[in-house]
Amino acid sequence: ARYITPAELYKILFVNFGIKFWLAWLATILALVSTASIFPDMISTGAIDQLLSRPIGRLRLFLTKYLTGLLFVGLQVLVFSAAAFLLIGLRGGEWEPGLFLAVPVLLLFFSYLYAVCVLLGVLTKSTIASLLLTLLLWFGIFLIHTTEVALLNQRFIHEEQAKIEQEQVDRTTAEIESARARLEALDEDEHDRREALQRELQQLEQSRERSRQAVDEAGHATLERFHTAFYAAKTALPKTSETIELLERWLRDAADLPETDDEADHADAPFADMYGGPAQRRAAQRLEETILSRSIWWVIGTSLLFEFVVLGLAAWLFVRRDY
């Protein structure tokens, strides 16, 4: 086994624990808990009257409070990234300033959810309601993401299975033509060989018919329709999982981080047969290529568009409401 250096060990911990477990889940939940009360408390406790009595516009007040919440979370991520930077540098002997790329990306990731929390806080004036509904939406986004990926994988499996069956049809057709040619070349008195070839022809034709039916069954239009529907829903919603995946890929380049366990297993070709047949392996490769080919505009651009719409609605309600 290859010796793992201290720097590699700390980087593996940063990827598998720091990003995937802490920053992408627990720290985000804690940040939502800490910031969810900003707008409900300001509106429901009467503090809004004192704030509005000062020479400050409502929109400016709204944006100031919103940016305060983001700044609070940004400082948390900055402290964590700085701690990881110092740990890997002092204990591992490798200084990776690329780790600080996590600060803007994770702040962007949090802003998707925080915009929803702000809108719900303005609407409900309740910290608990806005927090729980935001977490519920986040869970719904995760379910849509998981379902879309699963449907896409199944669609690719069906398509690859259809290709394999079509290849079998082509091979069987060639064997049938060869058997017919041999049958025509036989003399009339070679009854036994003629009967054997005829039985072989019959078996080959039955095998080809079964492969053709498998091709027709594999072409499942229902899967494509379901996947299209989930992909459309996913496009309209913020891409929380994809944003974290982008961060992981960018950090691997910026800070020379190792691959995750799933990617290492997938890239380990000698063990590929353990994870399914040819159709499954081809589908897994296509799935990975498809996910990696999704543009930054689709991942971040559409998420920011969702955020701007939600935040704009929240700002409009905050400015127009009578207090």
Side-chain angles (χ1 to χ4, degrees):
R2 187 177 70 86
Y3 173 73
I4 298 179
T5 65
E8 289 176 329
L9 175 61
Y10 290 122
K11 288 179 181 180
I12 290 172
L13 290 175
F14 180 76
V15 173
N16 292 321
F17 173 77
I19 297 177
K20 286 190 168 183
F21 181 70
W22 177 249
L23 293 176
W25 287 101
L26 289 183
T28 302
I29 293 173
L30 291 175
L32 285 172
V33 171
S34 302
T35 57
S37 61
I38 292 178
F39 280 88
D41 286 353
M42 179 178 63
I43 295 173
S44 62
T45 61
I48 186 68
D49 295 330
Q50 296 180 2
L51 292 171
L52 292 179
S53 64
R54 300 173 183 175
I56 181 174
R58 289 192 176 191
L59 180 60
R60 183 181 174 186
L61 175 62
F62 175 88
L63 293 177
T64 299
K65 290 292 184 179
Y66 177 73
L67 293 176
T68 299
L70 292 184
L71 179 61
F72 172 77
V73 175
L75 290 175
Q76 288 184 326
V77 180
L78 179 61
V79 170
F80 183 86
S81 299
F85 173 75
L86 292 174
L87 180 64
I88 295 174
L90 295 175
R91 302 284 295 178
E94 294 185 13
W95 300 94
E96 300 289 355
L99 293 174
F100 290 97
L101 181 63
V103 178
V105 178
L106 282 165
L107 191 60
L108 184 68
F109 160 79
F110 176 77
S111 70
Y112 306 156
L113 300 173
Y114 187 50
V116 175
C117 191
V118 168
L119 173 61
L120 293 171
V122 172
L123 285 173
T124 64
K125 301 181 182 180
S126 169
T127 300
I128 298 298
S130 60
L131 176 61
L132 291 180
L133 290 174
T134 301
L135 293 176
L136 183 63
L137 174 66
W138 188 14
F139 181 68
I141 292 171
F142 173 75
L143 285 182
I144 291 175
H145 164 73
T146 304
T147 305
E148 187 268 335
V149 172
L151 287 172
L152 184 60
N153 185 53
Q154 286 299 314
R155 174 184 161 189
F156 286 159
I157 289 175
H158 279 280
E159 291 175 358
E160 293 301 327
Q161 188 63 45
K163 291 179 183 178
I164 292 173
E165 294 295 343
Q166 185 58 52
E167 292 170 359
Q168 182 63 36
V169 169
D170 296 339
R171 286 194 298 268
T172 306
T173 300
E175 292 175 4
I176 289 174
E177 292 175 355
S178 175
R180 283 175 178 170
R182 284 183 282 125
L183 182 63
E184 292 175 359
L186 290 177
D187 296 333
E188 293 294 335
D189 56 348
E190 296 183 90
H191 298 292
D192 293 340
R193 292 198 60 190
R194 183 177 292 276
E195 290 179 0
L197 276 173
Q198 287 174 344
R199 286 195 297 271
E200 182 182 347
L201 267 173
Q202 185 178 6
Q203 292 174 355
L204 287 172
E205 288 173 350
Q206 290 174 351
S207 175
R208 182 173 65 177
E209 185 60 28
R210 286 194 297 270
S211 295
R212 282 176 173 170
Q213 290 177 358
V215 170
D216 294 337
E217 292 173 0
H220 237 299
T222 304
L223 272 176
E224 186 172 357
R225 287 197 297 270
F226 272 111
H227 172 257
T228 301
F230 274 91
Y231 182 78
K234 192 173 176 178
T235 301
L237 292 170
K239 320 298 181 294
T240 53
S241 299
E242 287 84 352
T243 301
I244 296 299
E245 290 169 3
L246 273 180
L247 174 61
E248 292 176 11
R249 294 206 301 268
W250 289 344
L251 281 177
R252 281 200 299 273
D253 295 332
D256 193 26
L257 295 186
E259 291 182 340
T260 59
D261 294 337
D262 295 339
E263 292 165 335
D265 290 341
H266 179 72
D268 200 358
F271 296 96
D273 290 337
M274 297 172 59
Y275 302 99
Q280 285 78 6
R281 293 196 298 274
R282 292 184 192 177
Q285 184 176 1
R286 286 182 61 189
L287 180 65
E288 183 179 5
E289 292 172 352
T290 300
I291 291 176
L292 290 176
S293 67
R294 289 175 174 174
S295 67
I296 297 176
W297 154 248
W298 185 81
V299 175
I300 294 180
T302 57
S303 300
L304 284 176
L305 182 60
F306 171 89
E307 180 181 347
F308 289 153
V309 170
V310 170
L311 196 62
L313 178 59
W316 182 79
L317 290 173
F318 183 83
V319 171
R320 300 272 298 181
R321 173 174 285 176
D322 293 329
Y323 298 101

